Amino acid sequence: MMKKTLFAALVACAIGGSGVVSAEDVLISTRNTSLLLRAVEGEPLKIAYYGTLINEAEVAQVWQSGMAFNRPAYPAFNTWPLDEAAIEVEHADGSISLELAVVSVTREATDNGEVVRVLSRDKAYPFEVTNCYRSYTNSDVIEVWSEISHNEKKGDVKLAQFASAYMPVHGDQVWLSHLHGCWANEANLFEEPLTAGMKVIKNRDGVRNGMSDMPEVMLSLDGKPDELSGRVIGAALCYSGNYELRIDTDIDGKYLHHFLAGIDETASQYYLKAGETFVTPEVAFTYSEEGKSGVSRNFHNWARRDGKLHNGTALRDVLLNSWEGVYFDIDTERIVKLIQGAAELGGELFVMDDGWFASEKYRRMKDDAALGDWTVDRQKLPDGIQPLIDEAKKNGLKFGIWIEPEMGNWKSSELYDKHPDWFLQYPGREPILGRGGTQMVLDLANPEVQDFVFSVVDNLMTDYPEISYMKWDANASLANYGSPYLPKNRQSHIYIEYHKGLRNVVERIRAKYPDLVLQACASGGARAGYGTLPYFDEFWGSDDTDALQRIYMQWGLSMFYPAAAMASHVSTVPNHQTGRVVPLKFRFDVAMQGRLGIEMRPSDFTPEELAFAKQAVTDYKRLRELIQQGDLYRLRSPYEGKGDVASLMYVSPDKQKAVFYGYKLKHFAGHTVPPFRMAGLDPNKNYRLHELNVADDGMKSMEGAVISGHLLMTNGIKLVLGTEYSSRVFELTAVE
Ligand code: GLA
């Protein structure tokens, strides 16, 4: 009894919308959602509920309804019920038993929510886990992670499984939505009902953790997912390295689903020293009753306003990137021409991509040499970089540059000649070589290598303080599983230490250069993710710039990431990746869904195209706040129905402005395009439609029409879309 009273005192500091209902029930709430734990001292921490906001009176009712999960919040291996484990350890004496029991609960208010920490201790060993919950009131996100430590005298404890979080999900018609892809075809949306057995979503690239699956999912609780209605849980693992999300479907093969997420443990057993704390990455959970788009909006708000996207509320510049325009064939004249072209288009930033660096011995004529040798190629750029920065400035542009600091070329860079032991390598074995047949990953477990990676950015910023943007690329897998730095008996820490090292570096960069805009790129879109974005302002979505294929990829990316983070560029035709020829209007209409850029030679535009492009850039700049910071409503999925149309819109939070996009992806004779119903508008407001990027195709526009939000959302509009790759974009403005 004494114990219970003391325990109640520990938890009795209710904050904001959350509350402590009894000594045991710990209610964590945001504006619209709640998570309920039961923490009884001496017993395993239980999770009881996650979903719509409940009040304190309803806490008991969750239990009375028989709907409380009543499952361990962090199931340990071989504890009852014997389901998938979140944690499995081998104690210093060889025992693999673990019985965690609650010791204390603390709650601490933050600026935008609170942090709840539940400490549990093993009943037999000095081994502890703290399960942590950080709520974000306004964005309806609750991050969950775990901190593991021990004080065992006999030696290290081996962590064999160490998930960040476990979440039970109830429902007999739960659907999974997740993203999957490959190079140049990233982030495709896949949806399926959960049925008996285990679904695993994972990445084991070591470096580029969005290369295959992506570490986010949505679980729609009411059957086939809908964009605008229905109960949906979203989960995003915030980690840049290898991960595994597991969903094990149990009870009648459909009713109870065990969701676990965390670092992938393959070849990653971690030996934890006494006194050391192993902190897992966070899993961000959100819940919405406004369908998948509702979950997306929660993630977007959390990213932009709660620090999960670096400088999340800053407006992004329109840029021109040199890659598809000149590839490795950089020279002063070509770059100056690109800068001037970018300025004429109304761009604000010029980015010089790969190909600008070399060493005395090695030149970067293609992707097989000089990576790691971060000095200017004086044959290509005899006067160096400064005149280019000056030229950009003269033209009213900022200047950006490409780097790939975590990697080097094996036997074809001075970096390798000087520091072969900085490269990850299998001792005594032929290396597995990446891009260009020579590329390998550096050993970021080594603090000297971390210093080197930091110095790539720091030296450039010291030499050229006016650089305002860096595209940080990473184009190889962690294939050679051997760290010259880590001890022989700690090689299983490589994947984890690599990402700890990377984090150290980006944290140092952010401390020194908070305003430098960083783009995360990894062979295209493989570093879109919330392990990376707190330090990066945006990501490159894909090396495929084909506007048609981008519709599918951007649709997928928009499930979890805001438009502010999604770099999307207009490139030339025929497209360099697919050979497809689509109108310039369609290319702009697609690129204007995200952070607009141009990735071609402006000199390739005809005078008419140039005039069109200039107007599009002007309109984008006027509307970018709405696009980059607005609320996203996905309307018609390119993945559904006949797959012949796609449509989405952004609405300003005050519902005064919106921008609507409609695309035709396929054309069949005799097939009528269905009406497009909008969403997210104020039904009581009238909106004036103004068409953007008007094409000279003789199609009728709705220019100037005034239509109520009510009608736009219930009856919709009939778009005149002609052949394949026709599109319409409307700006909507509320009128009195
Ligand atoms: C990667 C990137 C591209 C480009 C090249 C340069 O493939 O994804 O955008 O920067 O590297 O080598």
Side-chain angles (χ1 to χ4, degrees):
M1 194 55 213
M2 261 291 281
K3 265 188 177 173
K4 281 253 166 84
T5 317
L6 176 69
F7 187 63
L10 277 169
V11 295
C13 43
I15 298 151
S18 308
V20 175
V21 186
S22 67
E24 292 95 13
D25 287 315
V26 181
L27 180 63
I28 303 166
S29 292
T30 64
R31 207 157 38 115
N32 299 297
T33 76
S34 292
L35 187 148
L36 180 64
L37 301 170
R38 178 162 274 193
V40 178
E41 193 184 5
E43 292 181 17
L45 176 67
K46 295 267 181 75
I47 179 157
Y49 171 84
Y50 180 54
T52 198
L53 180 69
I54 54 172
N55 59 34
E56 295 187 2
E58 287 171 309
V59 166
Q61 294 165 11
V62 167
W63 290 99
Q64 285 159 13
S65 68
M67 287 296 289
F69 297 134
N70 199 19
R71 321 254 342 157
Y74 196 63
F77 169 72
N78 206 39
T79 47
W80 193 256
L82 299 180
D83 288 317
E84 281 292 301
I87 182 163
E88 181 198 332
V89 306
E90 186 181 309
H91 295 284
D93 66 3
S95 163
I96 58 167
S97 66
L98 188 60
E99 252 187 303
L100 293 169
V102 170
V103 175
S104 66
V105 180
T106 60
R107 310 184 75 128
E108 192 189 327
T110 63
D111 289 348
N112 43 8
E114 67 167 323
V115 177
V116 176
R117 299 169 62 88
V118 184
L119 171 67
S120 300
R121 191 169 295 137
D122 185 37
K123 288 187 174 168
Y125 291 82
F127 181 93
E128 292 181 346
V129 174
T130 305
N131 295 111
C132 310
Y133 303 81
R134 182 191 296 271
S135 64
Y136 294 88
T137 307
N138 289 328
S139 48
D140 283 329
V141 168
I142 300 176
E143 291 170 5
V144 185
W145 76 98
S146 306
E147 298 180 359
I148 305 168
S149 61
H150 74 90
N151 210 3
E152 298 189 14
K153 299 280 172 280
K154 290 198 172 133
D156 296 352
V157 171
K158 183 169 106 182
L159 307 183
Q161 289 197 73
F162 36 88
S164 296
Y166 163 68
M167 177 66 78
V169 177
H170 274 168
D172 61 355
Q173 292 188 62
V174 177
W175 278 60
L176 168 71
S177 305
H178 63 111
L179 305 178
H180 178 86
C182 60
W183 177 77
N185 189 20
E186 292 89 338
N188 283 277
L189 174 63
F190 286 82
E191 305 198 298
E192 65 214 59
L194 290 177
T195 55
M198 176 119 81
K199 176 86 184 176
V200 177
I201 292 172
K202 53 142 185 40
N203 176 283
R204 295 184 184 146
D205 183 89
V207 175
R208 303 166 300 174
N209 82 343
M211 195 50 145
S212 49
D213 292 314
M214 300 186 76
E216 303 92 2
V217 294
M218 289 193 196
L219 296 166
S220 296
L221 306 185
D222 300 313
K224 197 166 185 317
D226 188 81
E227 280 296 348
L228 302 171
S229 66
R231 300 172 304 149
V232 183
I233 291 173
L237 179 73
C238 308
Y239 189 55
S240 58
N242 290 357
Y243 59 80
E244 188 173 83
L245 314 185
R246 285 175 279 166
I247 307 161
D248 192 23
T249 293
D250 198 358
I251 306 191
D252 291 344
K254 59 183 184 180
Y255 183 66
L256 176 64
H257 313 274
H258 305 283
F259 173 80
L260 292 118
I263 293 176
D264 175 37
E265 291 103 356
T266 307
S268 288
Q269 301 76 18
Y270 194 87
Y271 296 90
L272 189 67
K273 294 195 201 89
E276 181 189 354
T277 302
F278 184 91
V279 181
T280 72
E282 305 90 354
V283 188
F285 288 101
T286 189
Y287 167 86
S288 170
E289 285 157 16
E290 295 177 22
K292 288 181 287 181
S293 283
V295 162
S296 299
R297 288 191 293 278
N298 291 351
F299 277 129
H300 297 177
N301 283 331
W302 166 75
R304 289 180 302 217
R305 298 191 198 137
D306 293 323
K308 303 298 151 176
L309 167 67
H310 185 255
N311 260 337
T313 54
L315 296 184
R316 273 54 179 163
D317 288 330
V318 176
L319 64 80
L320 186 138
N321 177 295
S322 67
W323 182 240
E324 287 200 22
V326 297
Y327 292 103
F328 292 103
D329 298 333
I330 280 174
D331 66 27
T332 306
E333 201 184 319
R334 286 196 183 109
I335 294 294
V336 166
K337 216 167 151 196
L338 287 177
I339 290 173
Q340 291 169 350
E344 189 174 4
L345 281 165
E348 296 156 308
L349 165 70
F350 169 77
V351 181
M352 180 162 67
D353 210 282
D354 196 355
W356 60 267
F357 51 91
S359 49
E360 280 192 15
K361 224 164 123 193
Y362 305 100
R363 293 192 66 210
R364 186 83 172 158
M365 305 310 285
K366 52 188 180 95
D367 58 9
D368 61 353
L371 193 64
D373 301 344
W374 298 106
T375 43
V376 182
D377 184 337
R378 292 278 166 178
Q379 292 185 57
K380 290 181 183 173
L381 303 170
D383 301 319
I385 295 176
Q386 193 55 47
L388 304 175
I389 297 177
D390 295 341
E391 180 67 27
K393 210 153 74 175
K394 200 172 91 196
N395 283 274
L397 300 186
K398 299 173 193 163
F399 189 86
I401 201 160
W402 181 96
I403 53 171
E404 192 178 4
E406 298 156 68
M407 318 243 163
N409 287 127
W410 173 260
K411 298 192 175 166
S412 55
S413 63
E414 284 188 1
L415 180 71
Y416 175 76
D417 293 347
K418 283 190 203 136
H419 300 287
D421 59 326
W422 282 8
F423 286 65
L424 284 167
Q425 51 205 279
Y426 267 130
R429 296 187 193 277
E430 279 303 303
I432 299 167
L433 297 165
R435 190 183 189 201
T438 58
Q439 188 162 326
M440 280 174 51
V441 176
L442 302 182
D443 184 3
L444 266 168
N446 182 345
E448 273 186 45
V449 175
Q450 292 174 27
D451 287 345
F452 167 76
V453 175
F454 175 76
S455 79
V456 175
V457 174
D458 197 37
N459 292 346
L460 278 167
M461 292 305 289
T462 306
D463 293 347
Y464 312 103
E466 288 159 301
I467 287 180
S468 72
Y469 175 108
M470 286 190 195
K471 173 174 173 178
W472 178 310
D473 215 334
N475 286 305
S477 319
L478 198 164
N480 299 288
Y481 195 78
S483 161
Y485 174 78
L486 291 173
K488 282 215 167 55
N489 61 356
R490 291 296 177 266
Q491 293 289 305
S492 66
H493 290 198
I494 289 177
Y495 286 132
I496 291 171
E497 291 300 332
Y498 184 90
H499 288 276
K500 268 197 212 162
L502 179 61
R503 193 166 166 158
N504 284 345
V505 173
V506 288
E507 277 176 354
R508 276 170 78 186
I509 291 169
R510 276 311 174 204
K512 190 156 178 193
Y513 303 108
D515 298 327
L516 173 67
V517 177
L518 287 179
Q519 180 187 72
C521 176
S523 310
R527 266 204 181 150
Y530 285 115
T532 310
L533 288 175
Y535 309 99
F536 287 74
D537 303 69
E538 61 173 35
F539 58 83
W540 183 222
S542 177
D543 275 351
D544 186 348
T545 56
D546 172 40
L548 178 67
Q549 217 175 324
R550 275 275 176 160
I551 286 192
Y552 295 89
M553 296 189 277
Q554 293 182 178
W555 188 274
L557 292 165
S558 80
M559 298 270 291
F560 302 99
Y561 310 117
M566 187 171 71
S568 186
H569 296 177
V570 171
S571 61
T572 197
V573 286
N575 180 267
H576 289 184
Q577 293 77 37
T578 62
R580 200 183 324 273
V581 177
V582 306
L584 186 63
K585 169 176 169 49
F586 191 81
R587 284 179 271 153
F588 265 101
D589 286 356
V590 172
M592 282 169 68
Q593 278 176 24
R595 194 279 286 133
L596 176 66
I598 316 286
E599 192 160 328
M600 58 184 284
R601 286 181 299 237
S603 55
D604 288 350
F605 285 132
T606 63
E608 296 72 38
E609 286 175 334
L610 188 64
F612 179 93
K614 281 164 80 164
Q615 186 58 47
V617 170
T618 306
D619 285 333
Y620 179 82
K621 288 200 266 191
R622 185 166 50 78
L623 293 173
R624 76 175 124 195
E625 183 167 0
L626 176 57
I627 295 166
Q628 296 175 5
Q629 298 291 322
D631 292 328
L632 170 68
Y633 292 82
R634 283 181 300 264
L635 305 171
R636 294 189 70 98
S637 169
Y639 293 93
E640 283 174 14
K642 290 201 170 84
D644 50 357
V645 290
S647 173
L648 52 91
M649 65 193 292
Y650 299 104
V651 183
S652 65
D654 64 2
K655 302 199 184 288
Q656 285 294 112
K657 299 276 296 178
V659 56
F660 164 91
Y661 306 77
Y663 306 94
K664 187 161 188 186
L665 315 178
K666 289 180 197 159
H667 180 70
F668 301 104
H671 179 226
T672 337
V673 173
F676 290 84
R677 283 165 59 202
M678 298 195 187
L681 299 170
D682 181 341
N684 300 315
K685 285 188 163 73
N686 284 316
Y687 292 91
R688 174 169 292 120
L689 272 62
H690 168 55
E691 183 160 6
L692 302 171
N693 298 348
V694 181
D696 188 17
D697 60 3
M699 291 290 170
K700 262 197 285 166
S701 159
M702 270 168 276
E703 181 64 31
V706 175
I707 306 174
S708 72
H710 173 236
L711 209 53
L712 288 167
M713 293 194 289
T714 52
N715 210 36
I717 56 170
K718 182 118 182 78
L719 280 194
V720 184
L721 289 170
T723 57
E724 250 157 20
Y725 320 134
S726 54
S727 49
R728 296 278 179 216
V729 179
F730 289 102
E731 174 184 356
L732 281 76
T733 309
V735 290
E736 287 313 310

